[in-house]
Amino acid sequence: MDSIRSLHPMAKTWLLDGPLSPYVDAFEALLERGRYAEGTVATDLRALAHFAHWMTRCRLTADQIDEALVQQFLDSHLPRCDCHATALRTHGDLRASLAHLLAVLREQHVILELSGPSGPIAEEMHRYNVHMRDARGLGVGTRAGRLAIVGRLLLCKFAGKAIAIGELQPEDVRGFIATELTRVNSVSHASALAAALRAYFRYRATCGDAMHALLGVISSPARWSLASLPRALTTEEVQRLLTHCAQARSTPLRLLAMVHLALDLGLRVGEIAKLKMDDFDWRAGTVTLKGTKSLRQDVLPLPAATGQALAAYVMHERPVTTLPFLFVRRMAPHDSPVGVDAVSSAIGRALRHAGIARSSHSLRHTLACRLVNKGSSIKEVADVLRHRSMNTSLIYAKLDLQALAEVALPWPGSAA
């Protein structure tokens, strides 16, 4: 309770005499388990006190709290807040703290767990997930993304009733796509929508449904296959990136290890995040990738530079943890593996700070381009990058200038 004693008397009254007082101890226990810093705990309690005060004014009880109520507090109350000056008003801190509160209330069974689709829609999602996994061989991430999109479409049309695909009309699909693009208006989201809906309607066609009319209303953004060049780093940019990582103020060894895994082995950020300590055979100099996008287990050689970077990180920077994962969180909540976004963000920040306008995926392109320039075949590139289809690797053929020169036709009118 030391953190509570440090609160302003007004905030302490809001917290201990308000509707959230029975859950303060559990809230502090959650933060203690995550080994949050004292300053963070104090901020979270100030946020909780402000929310409790607002609840008191609105005559709300704890069992009425959900994501919608939290959003109402942030969107409606916060911009015009006239509470005492001690009230925390930082939007990001309030949102993070109230997410902890929701977790505590669900842990205490005060409010219901978040539920996805139920009934016929849940059953349909299960069948489609099995189809994508067993018949299409799609990875977990791809399946989850498509299920989310299809689930939203079905909820719009069939919430609370049996699914009758024949009742789904082209205007329903057009309206759903328009709503989705209003929510997230980007080319990548439009492509994901088109791919997910088209794949689901084709699945329903295999079930015997007439889907031609619905398939006809789905159009994809114009993206010409192999129209661009791979965005790889130059030798000078690679050196600049590695130098920046080594000089980073925060966790330089972890950053170097991540960059080497992407640059030397061509690992995707998701594969880096999932690596475990026992995936490495240090004597044999190999790393085993499990549960990859290609749904297979791959054993890759571990280059000396990569092994040295990993060893330095493990010996000097890896936090003390009982987890088997190679990369674990260095900030609260502790004893948790890093997520895919954390790896992508860390490498992306390093690239930006090194003055390189590229994404984390460009390191994978860099490895492929390096192999082509050293004379490797497209088949060898596909094997190293673990592409399931050779077509995915064909874009790197544009970089094999010697082979292209051999098949190039003479310019019209030039001397033979």
Side-chain angles (χ1 to χ4, degrees):
M1 300 288 283
D2 289 340
S3 298
I4 292 181
R5 280 196 289 268
S6 67
L7 289 176
H8 187 281
M10 181 73 73
K12 194 184 305 182
T13 300
W14 293 345
L15 192 57
L16 298 181
D17 294 341
L20 297 179
S21 59
Y23 314 105
V24 172
D25 289 344
F27 187 82
E28 284 196 297
L30 181 144
L31 299 179
E32 185 178 349
R33 288 198 301 271
R35 295 188 291 174
Y36 284 84
E38 289 183 13
T40 304
V41 174
T43 298
D44 285 343
L45 289 173
R46 285 184 62 201
L48 198 66
H50 188 182
F51 187 65
H53 177 56
W54 176 74
M55 288 178 63
T56 300
R57 291 172 59 178
C58 297
R59 299 182 181 180
L60 297 168
T61 56
D63 59 357
Q64 294 176 279
I65 299 174
D66 58 11
E67 279 74 11
L69 190 69
V70 169
Q71 198 63 48
Q72 181 183 340
F73 169 76
L74 295 173
D75 293 345
S76 301
H77 169 71
L78 194 58
R80 54 182 67 90
C81 174
D82 59 356
C83 299
H84 188 274
T86 189
L88 183 73
R89 291 177 169 82
T90 310
H91 189 283
D93 290 336
L94 285 164
R95 179 177 290 280
S97 302
L98 295 179
H100 295 321
L101 173 63
L102 290 168
V104 167
L105 294 178
R106 290 195 168 103
E107 189 178 84
Q108 300 271 318
H109 305 293
V110 179
I111 60 177
L112 295 175
E113 293 285 343
L114 283 175
S115 59
S118 59
I121 294 179
E123 295 169 4
E124 173 70 0
M125 292 296 92
H126 174 71
R127 289 191 293 269
Y128 184 45
N129 186 41
V130 171
H131 168 80
M132 289 192 291
R133 183 193 65 200
D134 297 344
R136 303 291 298 165
L138 299 180
V140 174
T142 303
R143 299 202 311 269
R146 292 188 177 180
L147 287 172
I149 291 171
V150 174
R152 289 198 294 272
L153 171 68
L154 297 181
L155 279 171
C156 289
K157 183 69 176 178
F158 304 111
K161 59 182 182 180
I163 296 174
I165 291 296
E167 297 178 9
L168 197 60
Q169 300 299 312
E171 53 267 27
D172 296 325
V173 178
R174 291 194 190 96
F176 173 75
I177 293 174
T179 302
E180 283 289 308
L181 292 180
T182 300
R183 186 175 65 87
V184 182
N185 189 6
S186 68
V187 174
S188 59
H189 185 55
S191 297
L193 278 173
L197 295 178
R198 192 177 290 118
Y200 175 66
F201 292 155
R202 285 172 178 162
Y203 157 71
R204 292 299 312 198
T206 66
C207 298
D209 297 305
M211 306 305 298
H212 296 294
L214 299 183
L215 284 166
V217 303
I218 302 173
S219 59
S220 299
R223 278 188 172 183
W224 288 271
S225 178
L226 308 178
S228 60
L229 285 171
R231 296 174 63 81
L233 275 61
T234 65
T235 303
E236 186 274 332
E237 287 174 331
V238 169
Q239 188 55 53
R240 197 191 328 154
L241 173 63
L242 294 176
T243 300
H244 166 76
C245 292
Q247 297 174 350
R249 293 182 181 179
S250 177
T251 60
L253 299 180
R254 184 179 81 157
L255 191 53
L256 272 173
M258 289 179 175
V259 167
H260 272 289
L261 286 167
L263 191 61
D264 301 340
L265 295 177
L267 299 195
R268 304 174 178 93
V269 290
E271 294 167 345
I272 294 174
K274 292 177 184 176
L275 284 173
K276 295 182 178 179
M277 295 295 291
D278 60 5
D279 290 335
F280 295 90
D281 186 333
W282 298 103
R283 291 185 180 277
T286 61
V287 56
T288 302
L289 303 182
K290 303 168 185 174
T292 64
K293 185 177 180 180
S294 56
L295 299 180
R296 65 190 184 197
Q297 183 168 295
D298 297 299
V299 179
L300 304 179
L302 194 62
T306 312
Q308 291 167 3
L310 291 171
Y313 159 70
V314 170
M315 290 189 294
H316 302 296
E317 265 190 16
R318 185 172 181 264
V320 177
T321 180
T322 58
L323 294 178
F325 292 94
L326 174 64
F327 296 108
V328 294
R329 288 178 60 92
R330 62 182 182 86
M331 299 177 66
H334 298 283
D335 267 354
S336 300
V338 300
V340 176
D341 291 342
V343 178
S344 180
S345 297
I347 297 176
R349 275 195 307 273
L351 286 162
R352 289 195 301 274
H353 292 166
I356 303 169
R358 296 285 189 275
S359 68
S360 57
H361 204 70
S362 64
L363 302 187
R364 187 169 159 86
H365 288 317
T366 302
L367 172 63
C369 295
R370 186 189 303 160
L371 292 172
V372 170
N373 291 334
K374 289 184 177 180
S376 298
S377 66
I378 297 302
K379 174 63 169 64
E380 290 169 330
V381 172
D383 289 342
V384 171
L385 297 187
R386 291 158 286 112
H387 287 155
R388 287 194 295 178
S389 170
M390 278 282 290
N391 291 336
T392 310
S393 307
L394 285 179
I395 191 170
Y396 299 110
K398 295 183 175 185
L399 303 174
D400 193 349
L401 300 182
Q402 181 177 351
L404 289 174
E406 293 176 359
V407 299
L409 296 173
W411 187 259
S414 61

